[in-house]
Amino acid sequence: MIKAAVTRNAVLDSNTRNSEVLHAMGMTQRAVDRFERANRYHLEHQTKTSDIGGTLSGLSKVLRMMLQSAILGLGAYLAIGGELSAGAIVAASIVTSRALAPVDLAIAQWKSVVSARRSYHRIQETLAVLNGKDEFIPLPEPKESLKIEGLTTVAPSTGAVLLSEVSFELKAGQALGLIGPSGGGKTTLVKSLLGIWPALRGSVRVDGADLGQWNTDFFRDHVGYLPQDVALMDGTISDNICRFAEEPDPRKIILAAKAAGIHDMIVHLRDGYQTELGPHGTALSAGQRQRVALARALYGEPFLVVLDEPNSNLDAEGEEALTTAILSVRRRGGIVVIIAHRPSALQAVDMVGLLQNGKLVSFGPKETLLQPKARPIAVEKSFAERPARTTAAE
């Protein structure tokens, strides 16, 4: 039972830490199913344990009551015969009151029972709301464009405006590099176009359809996301790359690993693709975790690939593989949006956007925006404020 509880809590913690990734790549239902399996396994063992404990406890109470009743009857019989004093009757009364202890215990625990019933009703109401969500007609696979129209986003916790009236459009085969100072709104824009943070105003449209019209299959099959803080889930390398698909396609897993340039590293591990990563992927170095997460983002050749500082832990070989991966997405007609603090991450993009104070102050072809003579001062500062890391991935 303890092992089952530890497994369930590990899955729950992993899902919580990776909630944004799960939503962005349509893995939410799979993560919920995975937790339900672990929780069901735990509940089965807990039920068995509770049944055994309850049986023993009930048997003990029955035997105690039978013994107490026998003593009370014997005491009354002897008192009637004059063989016991009146004090024996008092003792028999005490014994009788002790026989009512289970009833007293039930009354004392009634508050917990009421609280449990209230919690159960709240859960039922929440599930009813979730199940009542309107389902849109399935749309054809996206293959044309990504368009942001007047997007304004506020922080969910404080309500502060983090992104204001951002608009741009990308066509199939294009890659956009987002640059700008820290706190300029780059990560907020990524969370908004993935639906992680709802837009206050404006819209995100894929092939002309608002993001809300796409069901969860869109994120599962057509979106790849590499977050800034990489945290792989507890499982094997292949499980993480295929996003814990119930029936994973080995060919797609290997193709994604090769696209991320990590296939050779994986097969040199003792267990290969079946290597257990442990909690948060601690079995791998930071650079290796980032490249496995990149392979996860590329799994299934998604139409939209969003990369948040994908080269923060990469060495020269890893950055070369990243550039190759971005070019391959563009060649097959996909769209890439990448947040960059190092100029090397922009080698494979053709469009650049400069975000500053939550506004898109510049947007256009890379050759035009990054020309030395025409380059804005803010662009220079955005690259200068975060120097390239020299630590190579292990």
Side-chain angles (χ1 to χ4, degrees):
M1 177 180 171
I2 296 178
K3 183 178 179 181
V6 170
T7 301
R8 183 193 65 168
N9 292 337
V11 174
L12 176 61
D13 181 69
S14 179
N15 290 350
T16 303
R17 289 177 179 271
N18 293 274
S19 59
E20 294 183 0
V21 176
L22 297 176
H23 175 84
M25 293 195 290
M27 298 166 58
T28 304
Q29 188 58 47
R30 293 176 180 173
V32 171
D33 293 340
R34 186 167 177 247
F35 172 76
E36 286 181 349
R37 288 193 294 269
N39 187 52
R40 193 179 305 114
Y41 180 77
H42 171 260
L43 291 178
E44 289 175 357
H45 285 74
Q46 186 179 44
T47 300
K48 292 179 181 178
T49 304
S50 299
D51 290 343
I52 295 174
T55 301
L56 295 176
S57 177
L59 182 61
S60 174
K61 290 180 180 179
V62 169
L63 293 176
R64 179 168 60 87
M65 292 179 63
M66 291 177 63
L67 178 61
Q68 292 172 344
S69 298
I71 293 174
L72 178 61
L74 179 61
Y77 174 78
L78 294 178
I80 293 174
E83 298 183 18
L84 288 179
S85 63
I89 300 177
V90 176
S93 176
I94 295 175
V95 172
T96 303
S97 65
R98 297 299 301 167
L100 298 176
V103 177
D104 296 335
L105 183 62
I107 294 174
Q109 297 298 324
W110 186 248
K111 182 179 180 180
S112 299
V113 174
V114 173
S115 178
R117 289 181 58 188
R118 189 182 302 115
S119 299
Y120 174 77
H121 288 306
R122 283 201 299 266
I123 292 174
Q124 291 295 319
E125 292 173 358
T126 303
L127 292 177
V129 172
L130 294 176
N131 292 333
K133 184 179 179 180
D134 294 333
E135 292 291 341
F136 290 97
I137 295 176
L139 299 174
E141 293 186 1
K143 61 173 93 173
E144 296 178 2
S145 65
L146 169 68
K147 189 175 184 180
I148 311 297
E149 297 179 331
L151 187 63
T152 298
T153 305
V154 299
S157 57
T158 63
V161 177
L162 302 179
L163 206 65
S164 178
E165 298 296 331
V166 173
S167 299
F168 63 85
E169 183 175 6
L170 296 174
K171 298 294 185 180
Q174 289 188 317
L176 169 65
L178 293 173
I179 60 176
S182 297
K186 301 183 297 298
T187 299
T188 301
L189 175 58
V190 164
K191 291 182 178 181
S192 298
L193 67 87
L194 291 174
I196 298 173
W197 284 5
L200 179 64
R201 291 190 301 272
S203 61
V204 178
R205 296 185 178 277
V206 179
D207 284 6
D210 187 86
L211 200 63
Q213 297 182 27
W214 296 90
N215 55 29
T216 55
D217 291 343
F218 167 74
F219 294 98
R220 186 187 67 198
D221 300 331
H222 306 300
V223 173
Y225 176 45
L226 173 59
Q228 182 176 0
D229 298 321
V230 178
L232 300 177
M233 301 176 67
D234 190 3
T236 65
I237 291 179
S238 62
D239 287 338
N240 277 273
I241 292 178
C242 74
R243 310 178 186 184
F244 289 89
E246 294 183 359
E247 298 180 358
D249 188 339
R251 184 184 64 86
K252 291 183 179 180
I253 294 175
I254 295 175
L255 286 176
K258 288 184 176 180
I262 201 172
H263 173 73
D264 291 337
M265 184 279 292
I266 295 175
V267 296
H268 277 83
L269 298 175
R270 186 183 65 177
D271 296 326
Y273 282 89
Q274 299 307 312
T275 300
E276 291 286 344
L277 298 182
H280 321 310
T282 52
L284 301 178
S285 67
Q288 290 172 332
R289 289 198 299 271
Q290 194 159 37
R291 294 176 72 177
V292 171
L294 175 61
R296 178 179 62 185
L298 298 174
Y299 176 77
E301 298 187 343
F303 172 71
L304 175 61
V305 178
V306 181
L307 309 175
D308 193 346
E309 292 194 55
N311 61 340
S312 58
N313 295 299
L314 299 183
D315 55 10
E317 180 185 354
E319 290 194 345
E320 182 180 352
L322 172 64
T323 300
T324 302
I326 296 174
L327 290 174
S328 67
V329 174
R330 293 184 58 190
R331 280 193 296 267
R332 62 175 172 77
I335 292 177
V336 181
V337 177
I338 177 172
I339 293 178
H341 280 287
R342 292 161 60 178
S344 57
L346 300 179
Q347 293 183 12
V349 306
D350 61 330
M351 304 293 290
V352 172
L354 173 61
L355 278 167
Q356 193 172 13
N357 297 325
K359 295 184 177 180
L360 187 64
V361 297
S362 298
F363 179 83
K366 180 179 67 173
E367 292 76 10
T368 302
L369 192 62
L370 298 185
Q371 282 182 355
K373 294 183 179 180
R375 183 182 300 176
I377 296 177
V379 174
E380 299 284 357
K381 291 182 178 179
S382 69
F383 287 137
E385 71 168 5
R386 181 173 297 192
R389 304 181 187 179
T390 57
T391 303
E394 296 177 1

